[in-house]
Amino acid sequence: MALQLVHRDKFSIHGKKTYWNLFQEWLIRDSKRVAGLNRQLNNSSSRSSSYELHDFGSAVVSGFEEGIGEYFVKIGIGSPPVDQYMVVDTGSDMTWVQCKPCTQCYNQADPIFDPAGSASFTRISCGSVACGLLDQAGKCGSGQCQYDVTYEDGSYTKGTLALENLKFGSTEVQNVAIGCGHHNLGLFAWASGLLGLGGGVMSLVGQLGSQIGGAFGYCLASPGSGSDGSLVFGRDAGIPTGAIWVPLVRNPLNPSFYYIGLVGLGVGGVRVVVPEEVFQLSEYGDGGAILDTGTAVTRLPVRAYETLREAFVNATIGFPRADSVSLFDTCYDLSGFGTVRVPTVSFFFSNGPELTLPAKNYLIPVDVHGTFCLAFAPSDSGLSIVGNIQQKGIQISYDTVNGLAGFGPNTC
């Protein structure tokens, strides 16, 4: 069973905003996340279940209408389950929800979760294995395990670690360690919390482990497409046949991130000249390339970006140029065109696979007047981040048992 993934342009709680305002808010938040990811990298340089889980999933929605680049999923929390919309994040591990009593909470669309109304809510003690697995180890308060997570953009959540049941569609997942957040602040807009799908042991994927065969996948629908995306768990649903499979690279210093074996870039079917070392993960945990649902715009090391940009500009000489827009320095005025043919952009991976992106995944509108920009940006750090713009519409799968990530063959 698949759960729908929806971009936030399906929802709005702040009134109607202009496309330009949304676009600016989206880029500001995206830049904060990328800066935080780089800081996190620089700073680095549970209970078992006796029941069987079959493949399950949910819908995913987009957040563009609120100026947010992330995607969201609706799940049920507690017994009886209470529906809550959660940010989908492959770049972090902790799953948490805003909880009563709420000392400091931001506004959310759904009623704040009240653990007193759930028969399955169980606080975790300080001496438990789960508490010891928290980053920097959980603190203790009145004999209960306390967590404290700060995100890349400065957002944070603090509260009590607990075991709770989560419901995805008709499938109930029991005894998941989640955060019950009593002190929360950040740019989560109307979401109730975050669903951590990172590669660490405390993520939902890590906790379920063999129950889902170490496999999950998602498809992020394009904002404004009129369709929802999906999030699935389990080997049958999450490991499709016919996908392009690339190696996942493990970084012991940052196990939450899904590093991929990116080795090169292509424009117009021709591989551009960028040394493979530009994308490699060093023995000190620097560099490398990650897949991240929480970052919108793909970032590349300066050398790689400039080479890609030069090749793309040379292949689009006949297109009228437009001024730079925010972090985008390669823009075009296509207002006088009905349709245009643009050169392809591709990722090359170790062991040979090549992923050619749809045009809408790298040349995007930045206003309502026909201005389109190349949706890549340079990064001063050595880290490459493949963001959700480049992932849109492509089924992406993770086989953590065999250390592989898959692209396609299905779309959404």
Side-chain angles (χ1 to χ4, degrees):
M1 180 185 69
L3 288 79
Q4 288 180 308
L5 284 175
V6 188
H7 202 280
R8 194 175 289 172
D9 61 0
K10 295 275 188 175
F11 303 89
S12 180
I13 60 172
H14 299 306
K16 193 65 176 177
K17 299 180 181 179
T18 67
Y19 186 96
W20 178 249
N21 288 337
L22 294 172
F23 182 74
Q24 289 295 311
E25 290 177 9
W26 171 62
L27 289 180
I28 290 170
R29 176 171 170 80
D30 203 52
S31 295
K32 288 182 178 180
R33 178 176 178 92
V34 170
L37 286 173
N38 287 315
R39 285 195 302 271
Q40 181 176 336
L41 288 167
N42 291 335
N43 291 338
S44 300
S45 295
S46 71
R47 180 159 140 177
S48 63
S49 301
S50 59
Y51 62 97
E52 180 181 358
L53 282 179
H54 298 285
D55 291 358
F56 62 96
S58 185
V60 174
V61 300
S62 162
F64 182 75
E65 191 165 302
E66 295 302 319
I68 303 298
E70 292 101 331
Y71 286 75
F72 302 81
V73 63
K74 182 172 71 174
I75 65 174
I77 300 179
S79 302
V82 177
D83 285 345
Q84 304 280 297
Y85 272 100
M86 310 283 278
V87 177
V88 175
D89 191 5
T90 58
S92 63
D93 292 337
M94 174 66 75
T95 293
W96 61 270
V97 65
Q98 293 202 113
C99 280
K100 293 182 178 180
C102 211
T103 304
Q104 174 181 291
C105 282
Y106 56 85
N107 293 329
Q108 64 177 58
D110 297 311
I112 293 176
F113 178 70
D114 186 356
S118 173
S120 52
F121 184 88
T122 305
R123 291 176 174 81
I124 292 177
S125 66
C126 301
S128 70
V129 173
C131 192
L133 291 174
L134 291 177
D135 289 342
Q136 301 176 344
K139 299 178 181 179
C140 195
S142 302
Q144 299 170 4
C145 183
Q146 305 294 310
Y147 76 94
D148 184 341
V149 177
T150 299
Y151 293 98
E152 296 83 5
D153 60 4
S155 303
Y156 63 80
T157 175
K158 304 176 184 180
T160 303
L161 193 67
L163 294 178
E164 185 56 289
N165 295 348
L166 307 181
K167 195 167 186 180
F168 296 80
S170 61
T171 300
E172 183 177 66
V173 183
Q174 300 174 4
N175 297 324
V176 178
I178 70 169
C180 186
H182 304 296
H183 307 266
N184 315 293
L185 181 67
L187 302 175
F188 302 106
W190 49 265
S192 302
L194 185 144
L195 190 70
L197 300 177
V201 293
M202 284 298 288
S203 77
L204 181 62
V205 177
Q207 291 187 59
L208 296 182
S210 61
Q211 297 179 78
I212 58 171
F216 75 101
Y218 55 79
C219 193
L220 307 177
S222 299
S225 66
S227 62
D228 292 336
S230 61
L231 171 66
V232 295
F233 297 90
R235 296 198 70 79
D236 289 341
I239 305 297
T241 57
I244 298 172
W245 292 101
V246 304
L248 287 172
V249 181
R250 190 73 174 171
N251 183 357
L253 297 179
N254 288 282
S256 298
F257 295 155
Y258 292 104
Y259 288 82
I260 52 175
L262 181 66
V263 296
L265 305 167
V267 174
V270 179
R271 186 166 173 175
V272 300
V273 182
V274 180
E276 293 187 8
E277 304 84 67
V278 171
F279 304 105
Q280 286 181 350
L281 179 66
S282 77
E283 61 181 312
Y284 304 106
D286 300 321
I290 66 172
L291 286 170
D292 183 30
T293 58
T295 297
V297 180
T298 289
R299 265 50 171 211
L300 298 170
V302 173
R303 183 176 182 181
Y305 172 73
E306 291 179 346
T307 304
L308 174 74
R309 179 186 62 190
E310 180 181 4
F312 192 84
V313 168
N314 289 338
T316 54
I317 292 177
F319 294 174
R321 293 292 296 271
D323 293 336
S324 299
V325 177
S326 187
L327 56 81
F328 297 134
D329 60 12
T330 305
C331 300
Y332 301 88
D333 178 4
L334 302 181
S335 58
F337 295 81
T339 60
V340 295
R341 293 181 62 85
V342 297
T344 59
V345 173
S346 303
F347 293 129
F348 289 87
F349 299 97
S350 54
N351 301 327
E354 175 185 355
L355 175 65
T356 299
L357 299 174
K360 65 181 180 180
N361 287 25
Y362 57 88
L363 196 62
I364 65 170
V366 297
D367 60 26
V368 295
H369 306 297
T371 305
F372 285 72
C373 295
L374 183 65
F376 290 83
S379 171
D380 292 332
S381 78
L383 178 67
S384 299
I385 307 172
V386 179
N388 63 46
I389 289 178
Q390 281 64 40
Q391 299 179 45
K392 287 185 307 185
I394 302 171
Q395 182 180 4
I396 298 181
S397 308
Y398 297 80
D399 180 356
T400 63
V401 173
N402 295 303
L404 296 170
F407 300 92
N410 299 326
T411 59
C412 60

